[in-house]
Amino acid sequence: VKALPELARAMGGRMEVLTLWPLSQREIEKRAGNWVDTVYSPSFLPRGSQNDAGDTLYQRVVRGGYPEAISRSDPARRADWFDSYIRLILQKEVEDLAMIERLAELPALLGLLALRIAGLANFSELSRSLGLPQTSLKRYVGLLQALFLVQLLPAWSSRRGKRLVRAAKIHLCDTGMAARLAGLDPGLAPAPDPKWGPLLENFVVMEIRKEASSAKARTELFHFRSHAGPEVDLVLEDSAGRIVGIEIKASSSPKPDDLKGLRLLSEVAGSKFLRGLLLYPGREVIPYGSNLHAIPISSLWD
């Protein structure tokens, strides 16, 4: 990361920068294809899954995608690796990237962001919680982004006069790390833990971000939220302006009301709205109209 500015100046127009995310579930399963290209295809046909969801999905989420973490089947050893990785990258790399006075604040900030994943980035509230000026806080978040630990998902907007929330949403680049920072027990079932829903949303968003980075369909990623309440967790917009809305639910029994945000996005986007998908931890495809479907989360790699 630290060498990129100097390298860019030296190489001029003779280089290409590729972002290496943690492994996607499709890469882990060694399966071909690209999910983003599939949902943008004119012949898109949603299909169910034969795979179990439940605990298998939970284990995928808390394991994450770092190869070193995946190779450790013992949750305690994996936790030790995450602790060491976080400590080393925040000490060594940050010192190399920028001189900051309060280096000890960074682990606390990263832990606080892990507890707020899939939520709006409220810098005022974070500033009060950490006792940091907002200017310093935003710089520190920028450093965490440069280290590929944190991602901010910007808000999608249209010019149709709807009152929309403009704040970005917070995601961590790896849900194994996020689960460790948030104190989620890898050996317990997720249902009783209120952190499970946001963590699952973070997982799906990052899986789609990884798919989008290698897709033929060039897309940008956003979220959508109106002041009236309805929201969509992820919005894909391709170079032609075509919109695919994605809502993520932890419940294995989706309801028609869960598509409220997708219907509003369809109304706001108009003819540019291609389809809306509700991803949930089940096996069946549930149609809610010609271009609205609930589909299994496992379709991302299955």
Side-chain angles (χ1 to χ4, degrees):
V1 174
K2 61 188 177 184
L4 277 178
E6 293 179 9
L7 189 60
R9 283 193 293 271
M11 296 296 291
R14 294 169 292 165
M15 65 177 284
E16 180 182 2
V17 178
L18 300 176
T19 300
L20 293 179
W21 300 106
L23 294 174
S24 70
Q25 298 303 308
R26 186 182 294 277
E27 290 173 312
I28 292 169
E29 297 292 337
K30 296 181 173 62
R31 294 193 173 162
N34 187 282
W35 191 87
V36 170
D37 284 333
T38 299
V39 298
Y40 268 98
S41 168
S43 58
F44 172 71
L45 181 65
R47 288 181 291 186
S49 169
Q50 298 302 312
N51 287 347
D52 291 331
D55 289 345
T56 303
L57 176 61
Y58 182 68
Q59 290 304 319
R60 287 179 187 275
V61 173
V62 299
R63 180 186 63 191
Y66 287 116
E68 295 88 347
I70 293 169
S71 68
R72 289 160 169 78
S73 57
D74 180 2
R77 289 200 62 226
R78 193 184 306 135
D80 290 340
W81 183 86
F82 279 126
D83 291 345
S84 298
Y85 181 76
I86 293 166
R87 183 170 62 252
L88 289 172
I89 199 169
L90 291 184
Q91 288 176 354
K92 182 180 184 304
E93 296 296 339
V94 169
E95 286 177 352
D96 290 340
L97 278 170
M99 297 297 292
I100 63 173
E101 296 177 359
R102 298 170 66 175
L103 187 63
E105 301 289 353
L106 276 175
L109 171 58
L110 187 60
L112 203 58
L113 294 177
L115 293 172
R116 287 159 173 74
I117 54 172
L120 295 178
N122 186 333
F123 288 106
S124 298
E125 189 268 335
L126 288 169
S127 175
R128 287 192 298 272
S129 297
L130 290 169
L132 280 173
Q134 278 198 52
T135 50
S136 298
L137 176 67
K138 290 179 179 179
R139 183 175 173 226
Y140 292 180
V141 170
L143 286 171
L144 294 176
Q145 288 181 272
L147 292 169
F148 297 98
L149 296 175
V150 170
Q151 282 284 299
L152 293 183
L153 184 68
W156 182 85
S157 62
S158 120
R159 298 179 180 176
R160 298 192 174 209
K162 294 282 184 183
R163 298 188 68 238
L164 304 176
V165 171
R166 307 292 184 186
K169 291 181 81 170
I170 299 166
H171 294 108
L172 265 63
C173 292
D174 184 76
T175 52
M177 179 182 294
R180 175 61 181 163
L181 287 165
L184 205 64
D185 191 328
L188 295 179
D193 199 310
K195 296 187 283 290
W196 168 240
L199 191 68
L200 181 62
E201 179 182 332
N202 194 132
F203 171 79
V204 172
V205 169
M206 284 308 303
E207 285 300 302
I208 295 174
R209 187 181 288 280
K210 295 168 193 175
E211 295 280 311
S213 68
S214 60
K216 293 177 183 176
R218 310 314 296 171
T219 56
E220 293 185 78
L221 277 64
F222 306 92
H223 76 93
F224 171 84
R225 180 177 295 201
S226 72
H227 282 287
E231 60 180 292
V232 176
D233 296 322
L234 185 62
V235 176
L236 299 177
E237 183 172 15
D238 73 357
S239 54
R242 296 181 300 165
I243 299 294
V244 173
I246 298 160
E247 182 66 16
I248 303 148
K249 293 296 179 185
S251 170
S252 57
S253 303
K255 302 180 289 294
D257 270 3
D258 293 335
L259 286 88
K260 221 184 306 187
L262 289 170
R263 291 191 175 97
L264 179 60
L265 177 62
S266 172
E267 175 191 328
V268 175
S271 61
K272 293 293 187 181
F273 186 80
L274 185 61
R275 61 180 50 92
L277 301 171
L278 187 153
L279 270 66
Y280 78 109
R283 297 186 183 185
E284 304 299 326
V285 170
I286 307 171
Y288 290 95
S290 60
N291 60 352
L292 292 175
H293 294 83
I295 65 174
I297 288 174
S298 57
S299 70
L300 289 167
W301 61 87
D302 185 14

